[in-house]
Amino acid sequence: DGRFTKGAAMALKSRILLYAASPLNNPSGDIEKWKAAAQAAYDVITLNQYSLDANYRTMFLEANSINSKEMIMVYRHGAVDYFERANYPVGTPGGNSGITPPQNLVDAYEYKGTPNPNNPYDNRDPRLGYSIVTNNSSWNGRTMEIFAGGKDDPKNTNASRTGYYLKKFLIDNLNLTQGEKRIHNWVMFRYGEILLNYAEAMNEAYGPDNDNDYGISARQAIDMIRSRTGVEMPPVIASSKNDMQDKIKHERRIELAFEGHRFWDLLRWKDAEVYMNAPLRGISITRSGNSFSYQDFIVEKR
């Protein structure tokens, strides 16, 4: 009904206190700030109103983004087609590329099984396939041709310069040539973020496995996200607080990709100098018969 809820206010409080406790804003490392951030996230959890959606791909789409039990607050856009028009691959009628993920991010998705030397996208964290369009994958009734001479070749007009296209938030099979429009909503707060906020604050305040009598440790919160139906990544391996800090940072990068968190996370962790000075990388693909060869390259120095 468009009104702010108690859950939305508490989710905002959780994010603000997490940022306040972070190294950029807490140079002395005051542990009490981390404890307050942990409590704020725990307060949202104990509302018992929210839960992780069983479908990472579809929870952002159409009515799901309003009705999902994971969503805490969304910004409503109404029925539009501009997001698909701006971001569908160029080989799809009406598509203009738009947001094109870099190899830097693709590399961050873990392998779930044995790497396939002939296909770097096989056996990866399923969130890769839900979020990013990769070569030779099927979407919208066709196979993606992000290779030299293909329909989505980076050399084509308006094509991706990185060899990847955005998939997260984009509705399947929208007929852009006929002007088809669908409901879109932009997620501002969701339960997945709250669990990540909780995990980070708990780890900093109490370590990876001390639940402070809350009943959920930092490790358990991260594993709840990783074990989501359809994602089902193995439990995180971290033996120390510092190890767990690295794993939580990784999980935020993957779970919240393209949701507007990464820039602010890098700033508050004081990691921006490392990541934002690194070259932007892409993939160059050539086809030989039914097989492909993949060559990493620098798209742009930053």
Side-chain angles (χ1 to χ4, degrees):
D1 56 10
R3 293 179 176 86
F4 286 97
T5 63
K6 180 178 180 180
M10 291 170 69
L12 176 60
K13 180 181 178 182
S14 167
R15 191 185 296 178
I16 289 171
L17 290 183
L18 183 80
Y19 279 36
S22 300
L24 181 67
N25 305 307
N26 183 17
S28 68
D30 183 355
I31 201 79
E32 294 304 316
K33 292 187 176 182
W34 285 114
K35 289 179 179 178
Q39 180 69 54
Y42 180 69
D43 289 344
V44 180
I45 292 168
T46 54
L47 285 174
N48 292 319
Q49 279 182 246
Y50 309 108
S51 58
L52 292 174
D53 197 293
N55 194 318
Y56 185 89
R57 166 70 186 142
T58 63
M59 71 172 169
F60 301 103
L61 308 181
E62 300 183 81
N64 298 335
S65 55
I66 290 281
N67 298 328
S68 170
K69 293 291 285 182
E70 181 154 350
M71 299 307 165
I72 299 173
M73 183 178 174
V74 302
Y75 178 78
R76 299 191 185 205
H77 278 282
V80 294
D81 67 353
Y82 70 83
F83 205 66
E84 284 73 20
R85 198 171 287 283
N87 291 291
Y88 268 0
V90 289
T92 299
N96 290 289
S97 299
I99 297 167
T100 55
Q103 186 67 40
N104 311 54
L105 174 59
V106 172
D107 283 347
Y109 287 85
E110 297 166 59
Y111 278 94
K112 191 175 184 178
T114 307
N116 177 351
N118 300 314
N119 184 350
Y121 315 119
D122 264 1
N123 300 322
R124 298 293 276 267
D125 184 326
R127 288 172 292 188
L128 172 59
Y130 298 148
S131 305
I132 296 174
V133 178
T134 58
N135 182 58
N136 208 39
S137 62
S138 296
W139 190 36
N140 292 346
R142 69 183 190 90
T143 301
M144 296 298 133
E145 301 179 1
I146 317 178
F147 51 81
K151 289 180 180 178
D152 310 289
D153 182 352
K155 288 189 171 60
N156 293 349
T157 305
N158 289 339
S160 167
R161 291 172 61 204
T162 64
Y164 299 102
Y165 293 89
L166 181 68
K167 189 172 188 180
K168 194 173 182 177
F169 319 120
L170 298 178
I171 293 168
D172 299 336
N173 297 309
L174 205 62
N175 190 330
L176 298 179
T177 58
Q178 296 295 320
E180 185 182 8
K181 295 176 172 64
R182 302 269 189 87
I183 292 289
H184 288 70
N185 302 293
W186 181 255
V187 178
M188 300 181 76
F189 296 100
R190 64 180 176 92
Y191 190 62
E193 181 203 341
I194 298 301
L195 288 175
L196 287 161
N197 295 354
Y198 178 81
E200 184 177 347
M202 285 293 286
N203 184 57
E204 296 297 331
Y206 307 107
D209 296 300
N210 178 357
D211 69 4
N212 191 46
D213 293 330
Y214 287 163
I216 307 171
S217 67
R219 186 186 306 273
Q220 287 169 319
I222 282 294
D223 286 341
M224 286 164 68
I225 289 168
R226 290 173 64 83
S227 64
R228 181 199 299 270
T229 302
V231 173
E232 290 145 9
M233 290 297 289
V236 72
I237 297 172
S239 57
S240 68
K241 177 178 166 180
N242 285 347
D243 285 349
M244 183 59 81
Q245 182 187 75
D246 289 342
K247 294 300 170 71
I248 290 166
K249 287 179 176 183
H250 163 83
E251 205 65 31
R252 284 186 75 92
R253 183 181 193 180
I254 299 302
E255 173 70 17
L256 301 176
F258 312 110
E259 293 180 50
H261 294 270
R262 180 68 173 168
F263 175 77
W264 306 107
D265 282 347
L266 290 176
L267 288 184
R268 68 182 178 84
W269 293 328
K270 300 180 80 171
D271 289 345
E273 190 173 359
V274 173
Y275 286 94
M276 298 183 76
N277 277 329
L280 188 81
R281 292 166 32 244
I283 197 79
S284 176
I285 309 167
T286 54
R287 183 175 72 168
S288 177
N290 292 322
S291 62
F292 302 92
S293 59
Y294 296 84
Q295 184 64 50
D296 196 305
F297 75 103
I298 292 175
V299 176
E300 179 176 289
K301 290 188 175 178
R302 293 188 166 179

